[in-house]
Amino acid sequence: MGRLAHRTGSGYTYFVTTKTWQNRALFRVPEVAQIVAEQIIQYRAEGAYLLHAFVVMPDHIHVLLTPGITVSLERAMQYIKGSSSRRIHADRGHKMSIWQPGFHDWTVRDGEDFRTRVSYVHLNPVRARLADRPELWPDSSASGKFRMDEMPQNIGLASGAKALDLASR
């Protein structure tokens, strides 16, 4: 069975989930989780994507992002996964696999969908009983330690239904 095809295009915002190799709780180690969070933030700072929300869980991450004009969703995820793997290997002195291949994505449809995804990301540690409140989970945009980008003004316009509605006017 091949990898899933991803619908990508300029202007889309995505909710993405990717897991650790064999669902191992590699990010339960705070220093390792921090490396992943730092890499997510680094590529946002470099302009690879707008970052709207993220959380690093013990065995997976969720990110809500809008890739830059010259960066595909696949490339954005390669940046996050590849750079975090290299840093973890260098800092921790091992060569074990960090990530499962691929990722799952959802194209955000509209403002309501966007807000639902942000809430899902922030509440993930609470639902997993890892934190009492979202802001208490350190490797998350809910912590308040990281600057996030606001919802794009054109959210939903890049997806089919609203773009077609505007074209028919």
Side-chain angles (χ1 to χ4, degrees), residues 151-165:
M151 179 175 70
Q153 293 289 326
N154 67 340
I155 194 100
L157 293 179
S159 65
K162 289 189 178 182
L164 289 176
D165 286 347

Side-chain angles (χ1 to χ4, degrees), residues 45-66:
E46 292 179 11
Y49 45 76
L50 298 177
L51 182 62
H52 311 293
F54 79 94
V55 65
V56 180
M57 298 293 287
D59 63 354
H60 68 280
I61 64 170
H62 296 296
V63 292
L64 184 64
L65 57 79
T66 305

Side-chain angles (χ1 to χ4, degrees), residues 59-131:
D59 63 354
H60 68 280
I61 64 170
H62 296 296
V63 292
L64 184 64
L65 57 79
T66 305
I69 293 173
T70 62
V71 177
S72 67
L73 176 60
E74 288 81 4
R75 176 66 67 192
M77 295 309 297
Q78 285 175 343
Y79 288 154
I80 293 168
K81 292 169 69 172
S83 66
S84 62
S85 291
R86 284 188 297 281
R87 281 266 324 269
I88 292 166
H89 291 150
D91 292 2
R92 306 292 288 183
H94 59 69
K95 292 291 181 193
M96 65 170 26
S97 294
I98 305 297
W99 299 102
Q100 285 186 5
F103 55 88
H104 297 280
D105 63 279
W106 171 265
T107 305
V108 176
R109 308 287 188 236
D110 54 30
E112 182 180 346
D113 191 18
F114 181 92
R115 288 182 289 279
T116 298
R117 302 294 166 179
V118 170
S119 178
Y120 180 89
V121 168
H122 289 169
L123 289 172
N124 212 240
V126 175
R127 282 191 303 276
R129 296 192 166 108
L130 298 170

Side-chain angles (χ1 to χ4, degrees), residues 6-80:
H6 300 283
R7 182 177 85 177
T8 61
S10 181
Y12 287 102
T13 297
Y14 301 95
F15 170 73
V16 183
T17 301
T18 192
K19 295 182 174 187
T20 60
W21 181 253
Q22 298 179 339
N23 295 323
R24 293 178 297 182
L26 299 175
F27 308 145
R28 197 173 294 279
V29 176
E31 296 83 6
V32 176
Q34 184 178 1
I35 288 170
V36 176
E38 288 171 357
Q39 295 309 295
I40 293 169
I41 296 301
Q42 176 185 328
Y43 283 99
R44 178 216 167 265
E46 292 179 11
Y49 45 76
L50 298 177
L51 182 62
H52 311 293
F54 79 94
V55 65
V56 180
M57 298 293 287
D59 63 354
H60 68 280
I61 64 170
H62 296 296
V63 292
L64 184 64
L65 57 79
T66 305
I69 293 173
T70 62
V71 177
S72 67
L73 176 60
E74 288 81 4
R75 176 66 67 192
M77 295 309 297
Q78 285 175 343
Y79 288 154
I80 293 168

